[in-house]
Amino acid sequence: MALPDRLARAVSTTAFRVAAVTVAVYLACAGLVVGLLLWQTNRVLTSQVLATLNAEAELLKAEAQEGDRAALIRAVEARGRPGGLGLYYLADKSGTKLAGNLSRLPPEIVGSPAGGVFRYAPDARSQSEHLAVAIPVDLGGGEQLIVGRDVEEQRRFASEMGTVYFLALGFLTLGGLVAGFAVSRVALKRIETINVAARSIMAGDMSRRIAVTGAGDEFDVLATNLNAMLERIEALMSGLREVSDNIAHDLKTPLTRLRNSAEAALRETGENAYREGLEHTIEKADELIKTFNSLLLVARLEAGALEENAERFDIGRAVRDVAELYEPVAEERGMGLIVKVESGPQFMGNRQLVVQAVANLIENAIKYSGKPGVNAGTAISIDLHNLADSVEICVADNGPGIAPQDRERVLKRFVRLEKSRTEPGTGLGLSLVQAVARLHGGAVRLEDNHPGLRVVLTLPKRD
């Protein structure tokens, strides 16, 4: 990229604009402060000059009132010595100059009772004029006396201060713009790093992440949050691919069976054969509908669509009711349910979903604890712990359990381990439990039961 393009891009950034506005505000404030200082300095100096002039005017007026004109002339001549800052002009009533170091009566002062500012030549050889301030003194009898002071040094001081002030403002402006440009370049470089990563991700590289410098600034916070978002998106994309694969794998078999049943019914003759084939087809179709309903429910839970259907209920009683429903199923497989749940704990949430989650956990424990008659006497324990800020529902069995490396994966949709594919199921049971937990702000933990598996459903209490 050419230098003019880089400059234009840096100048157009928000960081440069903010820096420019900051410099402008600072310069405006600095200009106001310096202007006030210059004005106050000039006012003080002017007040001092006027005070000096008034004091001299009173002294000379006193000389004139004593009636000795010669003494007044001598006093004026003595005060108007060459090289001094005092300026004087004494004339009689006809306008003839009597004394003083001014060559003429300043026309700016004539007719002005308060005095004023005028310019004069210090001597006949001088090519430049000086600035002076003078006031008229009323001596009576028609005589005219002008008392003034050379303020050229003050004017030069004010001019130099103004020059320094404007030079300082210029340097500050230039420095601020350079600093703004540098800041915008740094910000633009960090943003460009994010843009490069974003373009790479849009191109399909979902593993790309935004670099974190470790400075702990806003860009690092943004990069950290974006990386976390990308991790979540990558996990969702990976889950979507895995779900697609599992759907193709797990739904292909029942769909094939459904089609084979229909074909077998067509090949058979007789009303009973048709009826049996249709019943078998309906049974397989119901299984598929159940699978899709469970998938839809999990999706709605993850989207938070059922969060508003909350009510306060006795969670202990609800868990006990579910356990009672599964006691006959467990007895058929030669197992027993040990329920350690007391009624009473009140919980605010979706009762139907919590019951469904507990039912899935008990059903899984019964299903995978062993085959009917093989693990006779196996016990499945169901506990409820009423903690200070949450409720924990624990379902433990003595089955084969789940390896630690597979525990996080089995909570995803349609994930079924190889050793569990001999049992009927959709692979949505634990994912639904996980979705219910997330809907209520809770979590699901899978632990060793030595032997077997212990699933802990944690649901935080809320008002």
Side-chain angles (χ1 to χ4, degrees), residues 103-386:
S103 60
R104 62 183 178 86
L105 182 65
E108 296 89 348
I109 307 303
V110 177
S112 176
V117 179
F118 66 97
R119 288 189 172 274
Y120 78 103
D123 52 59
R125 297 186 304 272
S126 178
Q127 298 296 323
S128 61
E129 293 184 337
H130 286 194
L131 186 69
V133 177
I135 59 173
V137 181
D138 184 13
L139 299 178
E143 293 179 331
Q144 302 179 31
L145 175 61
I146 301 298
V147 178
R149 183 164 292 272
D150 190 316
V151 293
E152 183 65 22
E153 290 297 326
Q154 295 182 24
R155 185 196 66 77
R156 290 177 181 175
F157 172 76
S159 177
E160 291 176 358
M161 287 295 294
T163 301
V164 171
Y165 163 66
F166 284 111
L167 286 176
L169 286 184
F171 281 118
L172 286 174
T173 302
L174 181 61
L177 293 177
V178 171
F181 177 77
V183 170
S184 64
R185 286 291 300 162
V186 173
L188 194 61
K189 184 177 180 181
R190 296 291 300 275
I191 293 174
E192 184 60 25
T193 301
I194 297 175
N195 287 333
V196 170
R199 286 192 291 268
S200 178
I201 293 168
M202 287 188 293
D205 185 7
M206 295 300 298
S207 62
R208 182 69 179 270
R209 295 294 179 267
I210 300 170
V212 179
T213 62
D217 55 8
E218 294 82 358
F219 287 104
D220 272 359
V221 174
L222 176 62
T224 301
N225 291 334
L226 289 177
N227 287 338
M229 181 184 67
L230 291 172
E231 291 285 351
R232 177 62 176 163
I233 292 174
E234 186 180 17
L236 292 175
M237 294 292 291
S238 176
L240 180 60
R241 287 192 296 268
E242 189 172 0
V243 166
S244 300
D245 294 340
N246 288 327
I247 287 177
H249 185 279
D250 289 330
L251 295 186
K252 181 179 180 181
T253 299
L255 285 173
T256 301
R257 291 175 179 173
L258 181 63
R259 187 176 186 280
N260 291 339
S261 298
E263 287 182 347
L266 289 176
R267 287 194 300 266
E268 297 292 335
T269 58
E271 182 178 349
N272 292 334
Y274 280 120
R275 183 177 183 85
E276 183 180 350
L278 288 174
E279 289 177 351
H280 190 64
T281 301
I282 292 174
E283 180 181 349
K284 296 298 180 181
D286 287 341
E287 292 179 3
L288 287 174
I289 291 173
K290 181 180 179 182
T291 298
F292 283 110
N293 286 339
S294 299
L295 182 60
L296 178 61
L297 178 59
V298 171
R300 294 180 65 191
L301 289 175
E302 292 180 347
L306 302 176
E307 188 175 4
E308 67 276 6
N309 299 325
E311 59 179 311
R312 186 173 297 279
F313 64 95
D314 186 339
I315 191 170
R317 183 176 180 84
V319 173
R320 289 182 63 87
D321 290 343
V322 177
E324 290 177 1
L325 289 175
Y326 279 91
E327 282 182 353
V329 180
E331 290 177 358
E332 289 181 1
R333 299 177 69 100
M335 304 174 188
L337 295 184
I338 302 176
V339 183
K340 299 179 181 178
V341 177
E342 297 294 335
S343 300
Q346 297 295 310
F347 180 75
M348 187 67 179
N350 191 310
R351 185 181 188 281
Q352 181 180 357
L353 295 178
V354 172
V355 168
Q356 181 65 53
V358 175
N360 284 10
L361 293 179
I362 297 176
E363 184 175 343
N364 280 354
I366 295 174
K367 183 188 302 182
Y368 299 112
S369 289
K371 296 181 179 180
V374 176
N375 285 17
T378 297
I380 296 173
S381 63
I382 304 170
D383 302 326
L384 185 142
H385 304 292
N386 186 20

Side-chain angles (χ1 to χ4, degrees), residues 59-135:
L59 291 175
L60 294 174
K61 189 175 181 180
E63 292 281 353
Q65 288 176 352
E66 291 178 359
D68 189 352
R69 174 182 285 185
L72 176 61
I73 293 174
R74 288 193 299 272
V76 171
E77 291 291 347
R79 292 176 181 274
R81 62 186 181 277
L85 297 179
L87 303 175
Y88 306 91
Y89 186 90
L90 177 64
D92 58 16
K93 60 183 178 180
S94 64
T96 303
K97 179 180 176 180
L98 300 176
N101 54 0
L102 287 175
S103 60
R104 62 183 178 86
L105 182 65
E108 296 89 348
I109 307 303
V110 177
S112 176
V117 179
F118 66 97
R119 288 189 172 274
Y120 78 103
D123 52 59
R125 297 186 304 272
S126 178
Q127 298 296 323
S128 61
E129 293 184 337
H130 286 194
L131 186 69
V133 177
I135 59 173

